[in-house]
Amino acid sequence: QAAIDERFAQVGHTDRVISAGIGGSSLGVRVIYDGLGANTAARFSFLESVDPGTWRDLLNKGSDWRDVHLILTSKSGGTLETLTWIERLFSAGWSELPIEKITVVASPGDGPLQKWARKKGVGVLTVPENLSGRFSVLSAVGMWPAHLMGLSPFEFHQGALWAIEQPELVSKLSAQVLRSLNESRWITQMWSYSESLRVFGLWWQQLWSESLAKRITRTGQAAPRVSTPMSCLGPRDQHSLLQQLIEGQPDKFVFLNRVEKLENDQEVFLPSEFPDATFFKKEISLGRVLACEAQAFEQALVDTGVPYCQLKIDKITEQSVGAQFMIWQLVVAQLGEYLEIDAFNQPGVELGKRHVQRMLSE
């Protein structure tokens, strides 16, 4: 926190931020921005996949790049996509961006990004060396962008501390997962009933995939099979994925994630355009419709015997988002202990990276 405060004093307020990073270096930041974007002090753009269309979209926004603060995030300092974006930006004239308008977020070390930052004199915020990227959102990876948004890292950490003090909740969630695996439920779905939690599902999906899918245990034995995570957004996916969930193979377990403040929305209106609709001439609100859809989804699970676990938060705040981050990190870490695997490495991801580097070098 002290390093973030010191860096903010150097940088000051900014209206526009471009964040270059991918995976654990970006998804958590996007969760924060999507969930609390209405209250942010700066507009964010994200450079993740090296899709030429993303570059064209950035250029089409037409703002003066000299008014931008650029965040370059790579825990290792060697992430291919992030380095590629830096090269693309600087070859287009961004090398003239004042050094104080660039912040690197990386672990200590001699990766390409760290060496580049030292050579250029770019400010660096460090990520603890032993902290895997997908577990890093509550470090400078997520908290520096949150500070630029006008949000409080302290409040995120308060939420995380609350989660740490809930060992019974963590154990219950872990037990639900283990039970589903014993029942051969090989797909675990996270159904989030809020557009604000859309990217949260993707963050959770990465955390689950990289942490739990392992070929061997810590002792070199064949690792137990774990489920494939699947991020779903309600009510949107009720119009597609629900069909497979209800009438497909009985191999799925569901987490249902809801936000009570949204469902209790009191901005009512009186439908008058469609006489045949069930809600014609009845006062409703968007929140009421959302709540009914979530309740109907839950009832469909009950009717067809699909096991599920429902979580509710009062509203989306720094504390509740910080708590959700920490709860799931603790659950995944605990599952790693039960399954006797290393939940903090990702050898499969590293294999893909090596192939890409080989192809580019050729």
Side-chain angles (χ1 to χ4, degrees):
Q1 180 65 57
I4 290 174
D5 288 341
E6 181 180 349
R7 182 61 181 159
F8 188 75
Q10 297 167 353
V11 171
H13 172 74
T14 183
D15 291 323
R16 178 94 190 279
V17 176
I18 293 178
S19 176
I22 197 167
S25 296
S26 181
L27 283 173
V29 182
R30 290 184 57 197
V31 171
I32 294 169
Y33 189 66
D34 280 16
L36 299 162
N39 303 318
T40 60
R43 292 180 296 115
F44 270 64
S45 296
F46 295 93
L47 301 179
E48 297 174 310
S49 168
V50 286
D51 185 332
T54 302
W55 175 243
R56 289 192 293 271
D57 289 344
L58 183 66
L59 295 178
N60 288 338
K61 289 183 178 177
S63 61
D64 190 338
W65 53 262
R66 286 164 294 194
D67 293 331
V68 166
H69 188 83
L70 182 60
I71 304 175
L72 308 172
T73 306
S74 168
K75 181 180 179 296
S76 66
T79 306
L80 171 66
E81 294 84 357
T82 306
L83 299 185
T84 302
W85 274 120
I86 295 171
E87 295 286 8
R88 174 69 277 187
L89 291 168
F90 275 62
S91 68
W94 286 53
S95 55
E96 300 300 318
L97 188 68
I99 291 301
E100 63 270 17
K101 290 183 175 290
I102 306 174
T103 300
V104 164
V105 182
S107 62
D110 290 318
L113 184 57
Q114 292 93 325
K115 289 180 179 178
W116 177 86
R118 288 195 291 269
K119 179 180 178 181
K120 296 283 188 180
V122 172
V124 177
L125 292 171
T126 58
V127 184
E129 190 109 40
N130 61 350
L131 191 63
S132 300
R134 59 190 176 277
F135 289 90
S136 66
V137 63
L138 293 168
S139 72
V141 169
M143 295 301 97
W144 170 239
H147 207 328
L148 292 179
M149 294 177 203
L151 302 172
S152 169
F154 175 80
E155 293 298 319
F156 283 101
H157 290 161
Q158 288 299 108
L161 287 173
W162 175 88
I164 291 171
E165 294 168 356
Q166 312 302 317
E168 185 176 353
L169 172 59
V170 172
S171 293
K172 283 183 176 180
L173 291 171
S174 300
Q176 293 273 13
V177 173
L178 291 171
R179 179 179 178 180
S180 74
L181 298 180
N182 288 334
E183 295 174 350
S184 298
R185 303 276 175 174
W186 300 125
I187 297 175
T188 303
Q189 295 183 336
M190 172 69 73
W191 283 76
S192 298
Y193 271 78
S194 168
E195 291 284 341
S196 298
L197 294 174
R198 178 179 59 86
V199 182
F200 176 81
L202 299 177
W203 173 86
W204 167 85
Q205 184 174 267
Q206 183 200 6
L207 178 71
W208 190 282
S209 296
E210 289 193 2
S211 301
L212 300 180
K214 299 295 163 63
R215 184 173 294 174
I216 60 173
T217 65
R218 289 196 181 101
T219 58
Q221 305 300 311
R225 182 179 178 181
V226 296
S227 59
T228 298
M230 190 173 184
S231 174
C232 308
L233 182 64
R236 181 196 69 188
D237 289 335
Q238 284 181 222
H239 294 267
S240 55
L241 299 176
L242 184 59
Q243 173 65 28
Q244 189 184 59
L245 179 60
I246 299 301
E247 296 200 1
Q249 291 295 313
D251 58 354
K252 300 167 189 70
F253 177 76
V254 170
F255 285 111
L256 177 54
N257 203 9
R258 297 170 64 182
V259 183
E260 292 188 317
K261 183 178 180 180
L262 296 177
E263 296 182 12
N264 294 329
D265 169 43
Q266 299 299 312
E267 192 174 338
V268 298
F269 55 94
L270 186 65
S272 60
E273 299 297 321
F274 302 100
D276 295 332
T278 55
F279 49 62
F280 182 67
K281 294 297 186 183
K282 296 176 183 177
E283 283 193 346
I284 61 171
S285 68
L286 294 178
R288 176 61 180 155
V289 176
L290 179 64
C292 286
E293 299 231 44
Q295 292 161 13
F297 173 76
E298 182 182 3
Q299 189 60 55
L301 299 180
V302 172
D303 292 347
T304 53
V306 177
Y308 72 98
C309 178
Q310 181 168 228
L311 302 98
K312 288 185 179 180
I313 60 174
D314 177 39
K315 57 185 177 181
I316 297 176
T317 64
E318 290 108 310
Q319 285 201 14
S320 66
V321 172
Q324 286 239 20
F325 281 143
M326 184 56 74
I327 284 289
W328 287 109
Q329 289 179 36
L330 291 171
V331 167
V332 164
Q334 190 169 87
L335 288 171
E337 295 305 305
Y338 283 129
L339 300 171
E340 298 184 351
I341 59 174
D342 185 347
F344 304 100
N345 68 0
Q346 54 278 338
V349 173
E350 297 305 321
L351 177 61
K353 290 179 181 178
R354 289 197 297 273
H355 283 313
V356 172
Q357 294 290 358
R358 173 182 57 78
M359 292 174 186
L360 287 174
S361 68
E362 293 171 353

